[in-house]
Amino acid sequence: MDGAAKEEQNLDNVFQINITLPHHPYATQVMVSTQEQVQDLRQSVVDLPGTFQYTCFHLEYDGVRVHDFAELSEIKGLAAGSTMKLLEDPYTEKEARMHMIRVREIIGAAGDRFDMVHGISAGLSLHDNISPWNDSETGALSQENGDSKSSGTQNPLAGYQFDTPASIRTFLPPIQEPLPKTVKSLGASTWNPPPPYLRQKGHLLYLQLTTNEGEQYQITSHVSGFFVNKSSNNKFDPFPRIAPKNAAAHSLFTLIGNLSPSFNTSFGALLDANNKRDPLANYQLTSAIPSSPWLVDASALSLSAHQPDLTRSQETYLMSGIDNTETLRDWNEEIQSTRELPKESVQERVFRERLMSKISAEFNEAAARGAVMVARGEVAPLNPTESADAQIFVYNNIFYSFGADGVGTFTSEGGDEAARVAVGKDVSGVKAVNQLDISGLSTPGTMIVDYLGKRLVAQSIVPGIFKPREPEEHQVDYGGVEGREVVAHNDTFVPVFSKVSTALKVKKHPVWDKEGTKHVLEGSVETKGLLGTDGRKYILDLYRLTPLDIQWLEEYWSDVGPADKPKDRNYPHRMTVLRPELVETYWRLKMGEYVKENIERQKTPTENGDDSKMHKPTTSTAGNESEQEQVHGASAKTLGRDDSSAEQEGIDTIKFSLAFNPDVFCGQTPRTDEEKEEWASDESNVRALCGYLHEKALPEIMQDLKEGEVGFPMDGQSLSRIMHKRGINIRYLGKFASLADEHGSRLRALKALATQEMIARAFKHLANRYMKGLPAPFGQSCLAHLLNCLLGAGLNSTPEAQLDEDVQYLYKDSNYSFAQATAATMKADIEKEVQLRYRFTLEEDWISNIKHVQLLREISLKLGLQLVAKDYQFFPAAEVAKEESGPVVNGDAAHPFVNGHTSGHANGTNGKKKRKNGDNSLPVSTNGSQSMKRPETFAPDDIANLVPVIKDACAKSSLAEEALEAGRISIMQNNKELGQELLLESLSLHEQIYGVLHPEVARVYHQLAMLYYQLDEKAAAVELAHKAVVISERTLGVDSTETILSYLNLGLFEHGNGNTNAALSCMRHALELWKLIYGLKHPDSITTINNAAVMLQSLKFYHESRLWFETSLAICEELSGRVSVNTATLSFQLAQALALDHDPKGAVQRMRDAYSIFRAKLGPEDRNTKEADTWLEQLTQNAVSIARHAKDLQARRLRKVLLSPKVTLGTRPQPQVGQSPADLINGRDSRNTIAFDPRSIDELMKYIEGGAETLKKPASKKRTTPRRRA
């Protein structure tokens, strides 16, 4: 497609239309797409700066009103330049309320909202404070004009210290000026609601406005608009004022502008202040729950930060109406009816998936809010006479139950421990089935919430689930009714269940009830089918979609009672199911073997085509591959290659099938010999799968991490993610740590990370145990005391729990056993938990080797803690001074921060007595300066908030993922134009379906930025990377690993686009975050430090660049050893940097080191060895020449030797955790290439001999475009 045709096609899809307005400015223009609906156009009008006063209106085209849900492509005659007309509509009470809320938000009068689900500073973004992003011209000029130091350019990395702990200020935004106030207050009047006789006249609401001038106005909201009435605080007269004091307008925004002379000026100042920030940092999150930082500024907790706002308490009424009926929704009906929408055309799929994403987000937020209320005891149970764990609740049409074994269902499986795991696996199973999107099969809206030590399951109410059935009828229609004792069967469920089983590799198999009757089921006996009273087929209890890890159970589980279990076989539960990613990977492996075997058989025919070595087929079709890809996230390219090669060779892959029986090793007893034989075969398959996990999956990931084949994990979340991606369960963390210990120094960091994760998870289980039956007011005291026992033991080994005895007296029956915990018992309990859950024995001195801040972060994220950002003191002051003067331990964060935000001491005062004398601040910690009490690291007041930890079952958009994958494949096939079109289409689909502020959109921005960078579209890559950073910060967290990687790659792209100063600011911020979440000397930081060194070279900061190269080499030598190819590569680069820094002797030594290693590791004939030899010869000659002819350097002429390095010395994209370089750059793997300086030796020597003025690089060799270095 040529450029003109492409441009014409884009014009057909996206064009500009005119909209006439009833008031100033009377017209505006809007860019629209034919794929959009009229409601999207309405939203664009509402969001435009000149038209956001309109909320209640409709649009007309050619004198005909257009329906809000009509596609723009369906409006006849609508094209570029067409004109639509905006007409104001009469208000209803609901629209008047929504209009007022909208105006309050626009003019900055809404104030702060406090939500139990959204934490303090939720949705925080630091992006705008990192660097002045618009100095690209300055950065480019500094690269063009020579030495940045002489031109006065500031080095953003100046003063950076590699061996000091990170500053907590990295987490905190700078103190900002308050936004301009446009009005003093705007809210609902005390005269609400209108009496019936006035409602008949069109009165909807009564408002009260106080302008900046101090004037107070009573306003009537009428069906025709808003007008100033005659009422006062004491007199009710809601009719219009008489002239000249009368004022009226259709929009409340316009009316305020007419009443307040300063309003328009102050509102303009407010817009200017907001426009200084990235728009994405200001938008309200509607399609995802914002991330809540684990550290919050102490100023947010100040009493003076809480401003009076009468309307804040009225928002429930304004949003939901007088009877609160507008928020009561039938969640299940909404979810199921949305899934049943047509999905034949692309437009139908977009509309359907968009609506599904919206409803899922709204359900998640409502469910989380209700779960918090249930956990705090604010919702009455439906069965108050039952035990606490067995109680069930209904709130806002959502059903809640506890993730505990309240009715004895899991008694033989491990009780409460098994139940807790089961509900987590159930959510994962629901998500997998939702991703399959099978017509005719329904799943209830499902999520789990962890809060205050309790796990709650929230589900939409399935119609008929509470309805009593006839005595002869079962409560469910398919699957196990009461465990394995009674099994129900209904043929109508077989077709839809078989689709699930086929996609998830679940074998159709027999089970037997207590009477010995055989039932053939499509899924596990635990998976149930329920025919709702709405006629839909629901699938429930999806926690056993994969088989049990029998190898683990046989080694660590015993079926005897808890008291009789041997110490080496006392694992807490039997719910050790394998991960679906493992099943998928193993299936693909066997599929590849099947294809290869058949290809070989066709090439070399055998006497008999016996396939007895392969597993017997059950059910599998090639048509389910896309669904399987969506469920398990495995590589489509791998299977695609298998299928294509199979098709080319004429092999029928449909004949291959491998499926697993999830009910083996679960107490089923086959009756006949044939059944026993089949059952033995199923057990053999599962054992083979477990063997693959131990013999292949675990060693492979260890080898990949050791060789640097994949991105190295930074924290517990990224470690869990990489394990899950490879199909490895978290219970193998102990095995992970043990294997890492066997693989030498490079994986020392992995062992430390795995150990830290085990300790954090063990602490989480202990804290949940203590908090489970604890009243909510004691949550702070409990957590502070437990943290003191673990992290504060170095400061005070005998901390005391702070309990308010007056409040404790009110809860006499509660369990306060946490107060008896000590540092010694905590250490013993954690060692026991780690041994119990992960089969790993902690070292004797593990408590002295922990990284305090990093472990505190892991614990906070797992428990939902928000702590005050301050300098927590983990050791006595004398010890801290001694540590600071001594050497820094690798990655050790044991000593406290020295650059934190809050001054003052670590511990708090006793919380029993309240402060008097009108003190407006929180109690200031005194470390016992006013009392004889020993200091403690954490006080209850340090725990600012507790937010729910949520796990949902939302599926990804298959349509958007398909477009993204198609774009990737097109680019890999060198079809750039088609690939770019598909990538843009995927981006548009992601934004339409998810909304802009969503984690999936952040990830697609990140991926597209990387792809555009590889296509040399640097400006586009930078723009996308900025968006990825902001959205990642707001939805994933300012310190999440994905955010850090987004910052690192943003720096790479900014450098490539000529803005190196901003790039270095990104690098510095990312490295500071890296220190906070991991510590010092992370293996992947070598790449980042190298990138920064290259950037410093481009700014002519040669000495500083040399220092960064030296740091990179030192870390590499420590992790990979002094004799490794990686070390040789960095030595080569350092030699070049030393030459540029006028250190010829050091350059020769480093180049000699590189040459020796290359020769020993790669051989004398390797290109890298030869290149190092050539450089060594020239550098040696130059060093000797300088020594002999120090006064005649300018006259020296060296023999010109031109080299053509394989890869130019440049910056390297940072891979995602667990991502291989092959996945990083369009499927190409260039790990074995080495990055050298692109300049010839002659050019480099000229510079060394004659200084910067003699080095004139041709324009074609400018290093403003970073390329990949391995």
Side-chain angles (χ1 to χ4, degrees):
M1 182 186 296
D2 58 17
K6 183 178 177 181
E7 184 177 356
E8 183 179 351
Q9 181 183 0
N10 289 337
L11 287 175
D12 290 341
N13 294 330
V14 181
F15 53 89
Q16 181 175 281
I17 63 172
N18 303 311
I19 297 181
T20 59
L21 307 171
H23 307 294
H24 181 79
Y26 301 108
T28 188
Q29 290 78 38
V30 180
M31 295 297 296
V32 297
S33 168
T34 54
Q35 297 179 358
E36 293 179 345
Q37 295 182 335
V38 176
Q39 63 174 349
D40 299 319
L41 174 56
R42 279 179 56 94
Q43 190 61 44
S44 298
V45 172
V46 169
D47 291 338
L48 284 174
T51 57
F52 46 38
Q53 67 266 34
Y54 300 105
T55 62
C56 186
F57 63 90
H58 70 271
L59 296 170
E60 289 186 357
Y61 182 67
D62 281 347
V64 179
R65 179 169 181 163
V66 291
H67 195 275
D68 286 350
F69 292 96
E71 296 273 350
L72 292 181
S73 58
E74 298 173 359
I75 302 175
K76 293 182 179 179
L78 186 67
S82 298
T83 300
M84 299 185 80
K85 189 175 182 180
L86 184 150
L87 296 175
E88 295 171 335
D89 285 339
Y91 286 96
T92 63
E93 189 208 358
K94 179 180 179 180
E95 286 169 334
R97 287 189 275 108
M98 294 300 107
H99 181 79
M100 181 198 168
I101 292 172
R102 167 74 174 162
V103 170
R104 273 173 52 85
E105 290 175 349
I106 290 173
I107 67 176
D112 293 328
R113 291 194 178 102
F114 300 96
D115 194 297
M116 291 183 290
V117 176
H118 304 169
I120 302 168
S121 301
L124 175 69
S125 173
L126 303 175
H127 168 270
D128 293 334
N129 307 313
I130 303 305
S131 169
W133 297 111
N134 297 321
D135 67 344
S136 56
E137 294 181 5
T138 305
L141 287 172
S142 68
Q143 295 188 28
E144 292 285 346
N145 296 336
D147 194 345
S148 296
K149 291 182 279 190
S150 62
S151 64
T153 304
Q154 177 64 36
N155 171 17
L157 295 180
Y160 184 82
Q161 298 293 325
F162 290 98
D163 55 355
T164 59
S167 168
I168 283 194
R169 287 187 182 276
T170 308
F171 258 100
L172 305 176
I175 298 174
Q176 297 179 345
E177 293 293 326
L179 294 174
K181 288 186 70 71
T182 55
V183 297
K184 287 188 175 179
S185 68
L186 174 63
S189 169
T190 54
W191 296 114
N192 277 301
Y197 68 95
L198 291 176
R199 189 174 290 275
Q200 303 299 321
K201 296 179 180 293
H203 290 211
L204 304 173
L205 293 173
Y206 299 126
L207 313 177
Q208 181 174 303
L209 166 71
T210 304
T211 66
N212 280 345
E213 292 78 14
E215 295 288 333
Q216 187 179 94
Y217 297 93
Q218 299 282 340
I219 298 173
T220 296
S221 171
H222 191 263
V223 292
S224 61
F226 297 83
F227 60 81
V228 178
N229 63 39
K230 303 179 199 175
S231 296
S232 66
N233 289 335
N234 302 316
K235 175 189 171 185
F236 181 60
D237 187 355
F239 294 101
R241 286 185 179 182
I242 59 175
K245 294 185 177 181
N246 62 328
H250 186 268
S251 170
L252 179 59
F253 181 88
T254 307
L255 179 62
I256 296 173
N258 295 338
L259 295 174
S260 174
S262 66
F263 174 76
N264 290 330
T265 303
S266 58
F267 181 69
L270 177 65
L271 288 181
D272 291 341
N274 286 332
N275 288 337
K276 291 178 182 178
R277 302 187 66 199
D278 190 291
L280 292 175
N282 289 329
Y283 291 157
Q284 187 175 352
L285 278 83
T286 57
S287 56
I289 294 177
S291 173
S292 299
W294 67 276
L295 285 176
V296 296
D297 197 338
S299 62
L301 276 66
S302 171
L303 299 183
S304 60
H306 191 53
Q307 296 296 315
D309 182 9
L310 179 63
T311 312
R312 188 163 48 224
S313 60
Q314 300 169 344
E315 283 193 343
T316 302
Y317 155 66
L318 291 172
M319 293 180 177
S320 310
I322 288 180
D323 300 325
N324 197 32
T325 54
E326 293 174 22
T327 56
L328 291 177
R329 301 163 61 175
D330 188 343
W331 293 107
N332 192 74
E333 182 59 33
E334 286 190 44
I335 292 170
Q336 308 311 332
S337 58
T338 302
R339 287 179 182 153
E340 292 166 355
L341 290 172
K343 50 182 177 180
E344 301 302 321
S345 65
V346 173
Q347 288 82 4
E348 288 175 344
R349 289 183 68 184
V350 170
F351 178 72
R352 176 177 176 269
E353 292 188 3
R354 177 182 179 180
L355 198 54
M356 285 173 62
S357 176
K358 177 177 179 293
I359 290 174
S360 296
E362 292 169 349
F363 170 80
N364 289 343
E365 189 154 344
R369 190 167 289 111
V372 169
M373 295 185 68
V374 171
R376 297 180 69 89
E378 297 172 13
V379 179
L382 298 181
N383 53 344
T385 59
E386 300 285 342
S387 65
D389 287 343
Q391 288 178 348
I392 57 176
F393 308 82
V394 171
Y395 181 79
N396 196 9
N397 282 337
I398 299 174
F399 172 70
Y400 296 93
S401 59
F402 289 107
D405 192 23
V407 294
T409 305
F410 296 94
T411 301
S412 61
E413 308 286 330
D416 288 347
E417 290 280 0
R420 185 182 180 90
V421 173
V423 295
K425 296 295 182 184
D426 181 44
V427 172
S428 300
V430 172
K431 186 173 186 176
V433 174
N434 286 344
Q435 194 68 62
L436 295 175
D437 199 13
I438 296 171
S439 299
L441 186 64
S442 301
T443 57
T446 308
M447 74 179 302
I448 56 175
V449 178
D450 291 328
Y451 186 76
L452 282 176
K454 305 173 182 69
R455 170 162 287 190
L456 287 116
V457 187
Q459 294 177 303
S460 61
I461 301 174
V462 176
I465 196 169
F466 294 128
K467 179 183 176 183
R469 299 201 178 190
E470 297 296 327
E472 66 276 4
E473 291 182 328
H474 299 307
Q475 281 298 111
V476 297
D477 298 285
Y478 190 83
V481 180
E482 300 171 3
R484 299 183 293 269
E485 302 296 317
V486 180
V487 180
H489 193 276
N490 187 326
D491 289 338
T492 60
F493 281 85
V494 173
V496 288
F497 270 55
S498 66
K499 294 179 181 178
V500 175
S501 301
T502 300
L504 301 182
K505 317 296 185 298
V506 178
K507 182 183 178 183
K508 183 177 181 179
H509 61 278
V511 296
W512 297 265
D513 58 23
K514 62 181 179 182
E515 305 295 335
T517 306
K518 178 180 175 181
H519 304 267
V520 179
L521 298 179
E522 291 287 349
S524 166
V525 69
E526 308 290 353
T527 303
K528 301 171 178 58
L530 176 68
L531 188 62
T533 55
D534 57 356
R536 298 185 178 101
K537 300 181 184 69
Y538 291 89
I539 185 169
L540 308 171
D541 292 350
L542 293 163
Y543 52 83
R544 282 267 300 279
L545 293 176
T546 53
L548 293 176
D549 185 353
I550 187 58
Q551 196 163 329
W552 180 276
L553 286 177
E554 288 179 343
E555 192 169 355
Y556 302 121
W557 167 264
S558 175
D559 287 322
V560 299
D564 301 324
K565 285 183 183 291
K567 188 175 181 181
D568 59 339
R569 300 188 63 187
N570 59 345
Y571 194 68
H573 60 83
R574 202 176 186 276
M575 198 60 61
T576 58
V577 295
L578 295 166
R579 291 199 62 83
E581 295 91 344
L582 182 74
V583 173
E584 183 71 16
T585 304
Y586 185 73
W587 184 88
R588 290 176 185 276
L589 174 70
K590 291 301 177 183
M591 172 71 164
E593 291 177 359
Y594 171 82
V595 171
K596 184 178 179 180
E597 183 178 328
N598 278 271
I599 291 174
E600 294 296 328
R601 186 176 299 151
Q602 288 184 357
K603 290 179 180 178
T604 309
T606 56
E607 294 182 3
N608 55 9
D610 185 15
D611 288 341
S612 60
K613 293 183 180 180
M614 300 304 298
H615 297 280
K616 293 184 179 180
T618 52
T619 53
S620 178
T621 62
N624 282 325
E625 283 160 15
S626 63
E627 293 174 341
Q628 295 153 5
E629 162 68 16
Q630 296 159 16
V631 176
H632 303 301
S635 170
K637 291 177 281 188
T638 304
L639 185 55
R641 287 194 293 268
D642 290 343
D643 286 348
S644 60
S645 61
E647 290 172 5
Q648 291 171 6
E649 299 293 338
I651 297 170
D652 187 3
T653 56
I654 296 180
K655 291 182 179 179
F656 170 80
S657 182
L658 172 63
F660 299 93
N661 182 347
D663 287 325
V664 293
F665 308 112
C666 292
Q668 294 289 336
T669 307
R671 300 303 194 265
T672 65
D673 291 342
E674 183 181 354
E675 291 170 352
K676 290 178 181 178
E677 183 180 349
E678 182 183 0
W679 205 258
S681 174
D682 292 343
E683 290 181 346
S684 175
N685 287 350
V686 172
R687 289 189 183 277
L689 181 61
C690 296
Y692 173 80
L693 170 61
H694 286 262
E695 297 162 15
K696 195 81 172 174
L698 279 166
E700 275 187 356
I701 190 173
M702 284 296 155
Q703 191 63 29
D704 288 348
L705 288 168
K706 180 182 177 182
E707 299 296 331
E709 302 288 330
V710 295
F712 205 90
M714 300 182 194
D715 63 352
Q717 286 184 333
S718 54
L719 176 61
S720 302
R721 198 180 306 127
I722 191 175
M723 289 178 68
H724 289 166
K725 187 176 180 181
R726 298 293 186 99
I728 302 169
N729 301 82
I730 290 297
R731 60 178 170 271
Y732 284 98
L733 272 172
K735 185 74 170 175
F736 235 62
S738 300
L739 289 174
D741 207 21
E742 299 170 4
H743 280 75
S745 57
R746 175 168 173 82
L747 293 190
R748 237 189 352 244
L750 182 65
K751 180 187 177 182
L753 197 58
T755 303
Q756 176 178 283
E757 181 68 2
M758 287 187 282
I759 294 170
R761 287 176 176 269
F763 182 89
K764 177 190 74 172
H765 288 291
L766 291 172
N768 285 337
R769 203 174 301 156
Y770 282 123
M771 288 197 299
K772 184 177 180 181
L774 198 65
F778 294 98
Q780 281 181 308
S781 298
C782 174
L783 290 167
H785 180 65
L786 296 178
L787 287 173
N788 281 327
C789 291
L790 175 63
L791 298 173
L795 181 66
N796 184 349
S797 60
T798 57
E800 296 181 13
Q802 299 182 30
L803 293 173
D804 190 324
E805 296 175 3
D806 295 337
V807 179
Q808 187 179 358
Y809 180 78
L810 300 174
Y811 299 95
K812 295 180 181 179
D813 298 332
S814 298
N815 184 356
Y816 301 98
S817 57
F818 75 89
Q820 277 72 54
T822 65
T825 60
M826 176 62 70
K827 181 176 183 292
D829 287 344
I830 285 183
E831 290 172 354
K832 181 181 177 182
E833 284 289 318
V834 170
Q835 176 62 37
L836 178 70
R837 296 179 183 277
Y838 309 109
R839 301 295 145 173
F840 184 78
T841 303
L842 293 172
E843 297 172 356
E844 285 292 327
D845 60 343
W846 67 268
I847 196 73
S848 60
N849 293 328
I850 60 176
K851 304 176 187 178
H852 288 76
V853 176
Q854 287 73 23
L855 182 56
L856 177 60
R857 174 182 178 270
E858 295 291 349
I859 289 170
S860 299
L861 293 177
K862 287 173 173 53
L863 292 173
L865 304 184
Q866 287 191 289
L867 303 172
V868 176
K870 58 190 286 187
D871 300 332
Y872 290 104
Q873 188 177 347
F874 300 109
F875 293 97
E879 223 174 292
V880 171
K882 183 179 178 181
E883 283 187 16
E884 288 176 355
S885 63
V888 177
V889 182
N890 174 24
D892 184 20
H895 40 73
F897 287 113
V898 294
N899 298 318
H901 178 72
T902 304
S903 60
H905 300 286
N907 75 314
T909 56
N910 193 306
K912 181 177 177 180
K913 294 186 178 180
K914 298 181 181 178
R915 291 186 165 252
K916 299 182 180 179
N917 303 325
D919 189 358
N920 288 331
S921 63
L922 285 177
V924 178
S925 303
T926 62
N927 262 353
S929 60
Q930 298 177 8
S931 126
M932 297 302 293
K933 188 173 182 291
R934 290 187 64 186
E936 294 178 357
T937 304
F938 299 94
D941 287 336
D942 291 331
I943 298 174
N945 191 27
L946 202 63
V947 295
V949 179
I950 294 166
K951 183 178 181 182
D952 62 49
C954 299
K956 292 183 181 180
S957 165
S958 57
L959 181 61
E961 292 292 324
E962 288 166 11
L964 181 63
E965 187 62 25
R968 281 203 203 99
I969 293 172
S970 297
I971 289 175
M972 288 172 59
Q973 295 173 348
N974 214 20
N975 193 343
K976 288 187 178 181
E977 288 191 359
L978 176 60
Q980 285 181 290
E981 288 179 18
L982 289 168
L983 293 177
L984 288 175
E985 180 69 20
S986 170
L987 179 59
S988 174
L989 289 171
H990 273 88
E991 292 177 338
Q992 287 184 63
I993 291 169
Y994 294 115
V996 177
L997 295 174
H998 192 279
E1000 290 302 322
V1001 178
R1003 293 180 182 115
V1004 78
Y1005 274 135
H1006 183 89
Q1007 294 176 48
L1008 289 182
M1010 185 66 70
L1011 289 168
Y1012 272 103
Y1013 180 73
Q1014 300 301 329
L1015 294 172
D1016 211 26
E1017 299 278 353
K1018 297 184 180 64
V1022 167
E1023 181 184 354
L1024 292 169
H1026 276 287
K1027 293 181 178 180
V1029 164
V1030 178
I1031 301 172
S1032 294
E1033 285 185 321
R1034 300 197 65 197
T1035 60
L1036 299 170
V1038 292
D1039 64 335
S1040 74
T1041 55
E1042 293 184 57
T1043 300
I1044 292 175
L1045 292 171
S1046 294
Y1047 266 115
L1048 291 173
N1049 284 324
L1050 173 59
L1052 172 74
F1053 306 152
E1054 285 281 12
H1055 171 64
N1057 205 35
N1059 193 1
T1060 302
N1061 283 323
L1064 291 173
S1065 297
C1066 290
M1067 292 291 180
R1068 181 167 192 146
H1069 180 68
L1071 286 169
E1072 286 291 331
L1073 289 176
W1074 217 329
K1075 284 184 184 179
L1076 275 171
I1077 74 167
Y1078 173 80
L1080 308 174
K1081 302 182 181 179
H1082 186 276
D1084 280 357
S1085 66
I1086 297 170
T1087 300
T1088 301
I1089 296 170
N1090 247 33
N1091 288 347
V1094 172
M1095 293 176 188
L1096 287 169
Q1097 273 192 3
S1098 71
L1099 293 178
K1100 309 297 176 62
F1101 288 104
Y1102 293 119
H1103 181 68
E1104 291 83 350
S1105 172
R1106 163 192 176 169
L1107 298 178
W1108 282 69
F1109 274 125
E1110 287 174 345
T1111 302
S1112 174
L1113 177 60
I1115 298 174
C1116 186
E1117 286 179 344
E1118 184 175 332
L1119 297 176
S1120 300
R1122 291 184 175 273
V1123 184
S1124 70
V1125 175
N1126 290 337
T1127 303
T1129 304
L1130 294 176
S1131 295
F1132 193 111
Q1133 293 178 336
L1134 178 56
Q1136 295 174 329
L1138 290 168
L1140 290 171
D1141 196 32
H1142 301 283
D1143 184 359
K1145 185 177 179 181
V1148 170
Q1149 182 59 44
R1150 288 299 181 183
M1151 191 60 73
R1152 184 176 291 115
D1153 293 342
Y1155 170 73
S1156 299
I1157 297 172
F1158 282 146
R1159 182 179 178 86
K1161 292 290 184 180
L1162 303 178
E1165 300 302 318
D1166 185 83
R1167 180 179 178 181
N1168 296 315
T1169 308
K1170 292 179 178 180
E1171 200 155 3
D1173 186 27
T1174 306
W1175 274 89
L1176 177 60
E1177 178 186 349
Q1178 297 304 312
L1179 288 173
T1180 303
Q1181 289 180 13
N1182 184 66
V1184 172
S1185 173
I1186 290 175
R1188 290 178 178 176
H1189 308 284
K1191 295 181 181 180
D1192 195 25
L1193 292 177
Q1194 292 295 339
R1196 175 127 179 101
R1197 293 297 179 203
L1198 292 177
R1199 177 171 55 89
K1200 187 175 183 181
V1201 181
L1202 291 175
L1203 298 177
S1204 301
K1206 287 181 278 185
V1207 182
T1208 62
L1209 173 61
T1211 49
R1212 171 187 178 182
Q1214 194 82 30
Q1216 291 280 4
V1217 173
Q1219 183 185 28
S1220 66
D1223 296 332
L1224 181 65
I1225 303 185
N1226 298 337
R1228 294 194 300 272
D1229 187 356
S1230 52
R1231 285 189 294 269
N1232 296 322
T1233 60
I1234 297 176
F1236 300 138
D1237 195 296
R1239 289 169 283 188
S1240 68
I1241 292 180
D1242 189 56
E1243 291 173 320
L1244 200 57
M1245 291 304 119
K1246 282 182 181 180
Y1247 171 74
I1248 296 169
E1249 295 170 353
E1253 66 275 9
T1254 64
L1255 182 58
K1256 301 293 184 182
K1257 290 193 292 181
S1260 61
K1261 294 197 176 186
K1262 279 173 53 186
R1263 284 185 291 118
T1264 56
T1265 304
R1267 297 183 185 175
R1268 186 176 185 280
R1269 179 194 59 75

